[in-house]
Amino acid sequence: MADVISYREAVAEGIAREMRRDPAVVCLGEDIGEAGGVFKTTAGLLKEFGPERVWDTPISEQAIVGAAMGAAMTGMRPVAEIMFSDFLACCWDYLANEIPKVRYMTGGQVTVPLVVRTANGGGLGFGAQHSQATENWALTVPGLKIAAPATPADVIGMMAAAIRSDDPVVFFEHKGLLASKGAPAPPGHVVELGRAAVVREGADVTLVALASMVPLALKAADVLAGEGIGVEVVDLRCLVPLDVSTVLASLDRTSRLVTVEENPYQGGWGATLVSVVADEGFALLDAPVRRVAGECVPLPFADVLEEQVIPTVDKVVAAVRSLAAY
Amino acid sequence: MVDRDELLTLYEQMAVIRRTEKAAHDLFLSGLVKGTTHLAAGHEAIAVGTSAALRPDDYVFATYRGHHHAMARGATPEECLAELMSRATGLCKAKGGSMHLTKADAFMLGSYAIVGAHLPMAVGAAWSARLRGTQQLAVAFFGDGATNIGAFHEALNLAAVWKLPVLFVCENNLYMEYTPIADVTAVARPAADRAPSYGIPGEVVDGNDVVAVRDAVAALARRARAGDGPALLEAETYRHFGHSRADPATYRPAEEVERWLKHDPLDLARGRLVELGVPEETVTAADERARDVVQKAVQAAKAAPPADPGEALTDVWADGGAAWRT
Ligand SMILES: Cc1ncc(C[n+]2csc(CCOP(=O)(O)OP(=O)(O)O)c2C)c(N)n1
């Protein structure tokens, strides 16, 4: 085993491992076969598994996700790719109305075990229609599980859990992390959905982050350590199921909470997390909570503009400092 | 060709459906059915004729106007009426309602209330059948109005390029909700005329003639099972009631209504039975059996316990629960 693997390679590796163990796993999406995906996150799958398990589709987001749904209802475990998460809007009916409701409205008769994978988030200068962090869209829908890994090993472990899940999972792969490298995942690596990870310990402030915001939070923690502020960083990993207990346990140690969200502040996942904390962990807090989140504007193109509107290390450092001094 | 016994069975099935629809209407008017109903009285021959040509394990996907499809695939009038009346014994434990009748153990995989959404699902079910090496077909029933929505076109194209065993069956009843389909569609035959652009057969059939429907579906099903890909059948029909609830359908010209009511699928079948030499009394006996079945179903549904409030928080996830957090 190589000593490092990229996040990008981890996606294909994670899918391949599941395809090897379960013949019901099949992939479909635009350019995922011969081309290996526009982000090369499905490279090698067609070669190993052949065209009966790796299907190139037309540009038909509704048909991709709708067909994945029909296949999932009838015995397969499809993994559908929606190229950029912004395009989820083109098949939003399936994610908002069809896939998550079928089990409930049939009184438990039909389950939909599928994964919709998609490249999420900014940082690559793709402009407003190819850069949004859209995991909040899914968060508003009862019946979807939401995974958003931050490291290559988590990509593999969470992909395994997502594909094996009997419930539908939307799997957000962050574009800004694709080139990042990390420790490989051991054979059989599975990361249960709904288990957050404390990725750095600290006694003063808890930073809760997701996907690309995790390395950003870790950088901020380094800076703050130099100032004598101990930051605990929690990688949430999933929005549904939401690991509230790990967050509350961390607050029990630090008594201060900052969320770091790439998505716009308005309606962001941090708001849900913070409201749960206010409900159930108010007594643990010694200071107000802070949310560092995107501005409510479409993502601009230029780096200098993007920096204005999504969280940066400096913004996180400033928020933590103000709380530490509270 | 149809033999007398078979036609008598088809007639009786249609009679049961017709009477169940009438009962649903009466129960709605008397306040025992909440929400709305979209009755299919007038469309019976399409459901019954299609089912007669299918294997029991072929998949069926229907719309919110789907009582007839659920019953043609084996749901009992009692289960359906109990569902409409919010009873615990309803087909979907009263979580689905009139628009979402589903009978998964009979491969009737649901009724969908977002126009056109289920067409890609049927494509996916057919894809899955092919991947699993079964000879199952998938049938999607939909209205003429659905032919102008994107999912229809995406589904047809994907089914055609992947040569999947899907039958798209359009119930053309001339109206969407209140607007004539002809006023908003660029071609004369909203379904069949579109088939050539996807390189698939598009046939038109008298949707009120149960034998004609059965034969048309049987031919297209043979073709699909032989690996020749999907087909589209446009079945011309008419709804006896308005679009939904107590819509009196005053927007329809009187002579048009009269012409179609004279072309009733039950009358047609009855006439043909008599032509085949079946005594009037035999047909009347079938009618009486249908009446009894439906009367008993109404009584049983009325007597059934109301929906169990505890069911509100089950069946979101595959473990049966609804918890979104740890
Ligand atoms: C996407 C969507 N748009 C609009 C509606 C509202 N709506 C419900 S039924 C209907 C008419 C559909 O007509 P048709 O497809 O011909 O089916 P029919 O009711 O005649 O069986 C409309 C517009 C809907 N349910 N879904």
Side-chain angles (χ1 to χ4, degrees):
Chain A
M1 203 159 35
D3 25 317
V4 287
I5 180 174
S6 72
Y7 188 102
R8 180 192 319 280
E9 290 160 345
V11 175
E13 172 66 13
I15 300 169
R17 288 187 184 188
E18 290 311 297
M19 291 183 81
R20 281 175 208 135
R21 57 177 288 285
D22 183 354
V25 180
V26 286
C27 295
L28 74 166
E30 294 158 26
D31 300 321
I32 67 162
E34 198 59 56
V38 286
F39 296 110
K40 298 286 175 255
T41 43
T42 54
L45 296 183
L46 177 68
K47 188 149 178 275
E48 181 173 353
F49 300 102
E52 280 293 298
R53 296 189 65 195
V54 180
W55 293 65
D56 276 322
T57 65
I59 303 165
S60 299
E61 277 73 13
Q62 299 186 54
I64 293 167
V65 180
M69 178 181 174
M73 292 161 77
T74 54
M76 306 305 293
R77 288 189 178 266
V79 178
E81 176 175 310
I82 294 298
M83 197 182 275
F84 284 78
S85 67
D86 314 66
F87 310 163
L88 289 174
C90 299
C91 51
W92 191 236
D93 177 42
Y94 292 91
L95 289 151
N97 282 318
E98 315 296 340
I99 290 166
K101 290 180 183 169
V102 156
R103 204 188 137 73
Y104 190 78
M105 69 189 190
T106 63
Q109 292 181 64
V110 185
T111 49
V112 189
L114 59 73
V115 178
V116 176
R117 308 171 28 240
T118 190
N120 194 41
L124 299 189
F126 283 132
Q129 296 185 330
H130 288 72
S131 301
Q132 295 165 92
T134 65
E135 62 274 8
N136 304 291
W137 297 358
L139 184 61
T140 62
V141 180
L144 295 176
K145 294 194 169 169
I146 304 170
T151 68
D154 276 1
V155 167
I156 291 173
M158 290 165 68
M159 188 70 77
I163 293 174
R164 294 177 203 185
S165 165
D166 289 332
D167 298 307
V169 180
V170 191
F171 198 93
F172 289 95
E173 294 155 15
H174 201 285
K175 292 196 285 291
L177 295 175
L178 289 173
S180 66
K181 294 196 162 74
H189 187 56
V190 180
V191 175
E192 190 190 335
L193 300 180
R195 279 282 162 89
V198 176
V199 291
R200 177 189 176 115
E201 292 185 359
D204 299 322
V205 177
T206 296
L207 271 182
V208 180
L210 188 74
S212 69
M213 295 295 106
V214 175
L216 189 111
L218 287 168
K219 276 191 201 129
D222 278 342
V223 172
L224 290 154
E227 301 176 12
I229 301 172
V231 173
E232 178 144 313
V233 178
V234 175
D235 175 356
L236 214 42
R237 302 205 280 204
C238 277
L239 295 182
V240 179
L242 184 68
D243 185 352
V244 173
S245 20
T246 294
V247 174
L248 291 177
S250 175
L251 286 177
D252 198 20
R253 294 187 285 273
T254 65
S255 78
R256 285 173 168 75
L257 171 64
V258 177
T259 63
V260 190
E261 304 164 63
E262 182 176 339
N263 49 251
Y265 184 94
Q266 176 185 347
W269 58 258
T272 296
L273 185 70
V274 159
S275 76
V276 175
V277 168
D279 251 2
E280 297 171 28
F282 190 69
L284 302 173
L285 294 174
D286 286 329
V289 294
R290 285 278 146 75
R291 290 177 58 211
V292 181
E295 300 291 342
C296 288
V297 297
L299 254 278
F301 163 67
D303 288 351
V304 290
L305 299 179
E306 196 178 67
E307 269 176 28
Q308 295 300 307
V309 307
I310 61 176
T312 58
V313 172
D314 288 349
K315 290 181 201 174
V316 176
V317 166
V320 173
R321 247 187 228 138
S322 73
L323 269 198
Y326 184 87
Chain B
M1 272 304 291
V2 62
D3 73 43
R4 305 161 172 213
D5 288 349
E6 187 189 358
L7 185 55
L8 191 65
T9 306
L10 300 182
Y11 176 83
E12 192 167 330
Q13 282 174 7
M14 292 198 292
V16 168
I17 294 171
R18 172 70 57 86
R19 286 175 183 277
T20 308
E21 292 289 63
K22 178 74 173 64
H25 184 68
D26 294 346
L27 290 164
F28 179 81
L29 294 179
S30 63
L32 284 169
V33 170
K34 280 208 333 172
T36 189
T37 54
H38 300 80
L39 301 176
H43 292 213
E44 296 87 352
I46 300 171
V48 169
T50 300
S51 274
L54 296 182
R55 281 182 8 184
D57 63 345
D58 288 333
Y59 298 109
V60 161
F61 294 79
T63 74
Y64 48 84
R65 193 183 307 288
H67 300 172
H68 54 325
H69 296 301
M71 285 187 272
R73 296 303 277 170
T76 64
E78 184 182 328
E79 292 172 308
C80 295
L81 291 172
E83 181 71 18
L84 269 60
M85 291 165 70
S86 305
R87 305 296 157 147
T89 54
L91 201 49
C92 310
K93 303 187 223 165
K95 294 198 225 186
S98 164
M99 294 204 272
H100 303 296
L101 296 185
T102 301
K103 178 90 176 162
D105 57 9
F107 298 85
M108 194 281 171
L109 289 186
S111 315
Y112 297 86
I114 307 293
V115 167
H118 57 302
L119 275 64
M121 295 174 211
V123 174
W127 178 46
S128 146
R130 161 147 152 203
L131 291 166
R132 287 176 292 113
T134 71
Q135 283 281 302
Q136 292 161 290
L137 299 181
V139 180
F141 295 101
F142 54 96
D144 41 278
T147 62
N148 289 319
I149 206 160
F152 168 85
H153 298 277
E154 293 195 9
L156 258 60
N157 183 60
L158 189 62
V161 288
W162 287 2
K163 277 200 158 217
L164 297 173
V166 195
L167 298 186
F168 298 98
V169 180
C170 176
E171 307 191 5
N172 184 355
N173 59 16
L174 311 188
Y175 292 84
M176 308 194 301
E177 282 178 342
Y178 314 119
T179 304
I181 190 68
D183 291 359
V184 293
T185 306
V187 292
R189 304 252 184 221
D193 284 354
R194 263 72 173 261
S197 46
Y198 300 104
I200 67 174
E203 290 183 15
V204 179
V205 69
D206 179 352
N208 287 6
D209 180 344
V210 70
V211 178
V213 171
R214 185 204 62 170
D215 291 349
V217 171
L220 296 174
R222 252 192 313 278
R223 204 188 149 269
R225 272 193 241 278
D228 292 337
L232 203 156
L233 182 65
E234 181 167 336
E236 297 176 319
T237 188
Y238 206 66
R239 52 171 154 76
H240 288 187
F241 291 95
H243 167 68
S244 63
R245 285 186 264 170
D247 165 26
T250 46
Y251 43 86
R252 303 192 300 193
E255 61 281 15
E256 177 189 286
V257 177
E258 201 184 321
R259 188 168 71 246
W260 278 98
L261 288 182
K262 275 200 204 121
H263 192 60
D264 182 291
L266 285 150
D267 293 346
L268 277 180
R270 181 183 264 269
R272 194 175 303 211
L273 282 166
V274 173
E275 263 169 41
L276 288 171
V278 177
E280 284 276 2
E281 313 84 75
T282 308
V283 185
T284 308
D287 267 327
E288 278 163 10
R289 284 196 298 274
R291 190 193 56 211
D292 283 352
V293 165
V294 176
Q295 261 174 9
K296 289 206 178 85
V298 171
Q299 277 154 15
K302 277 184 176 166
D308 171 5
E311 282 295 338
L313 297 181
T314 66
D315 289 333
V316 172
W317 308 119
D319 66 8
W324 56 277
R325 42 162 287 191
T326 57

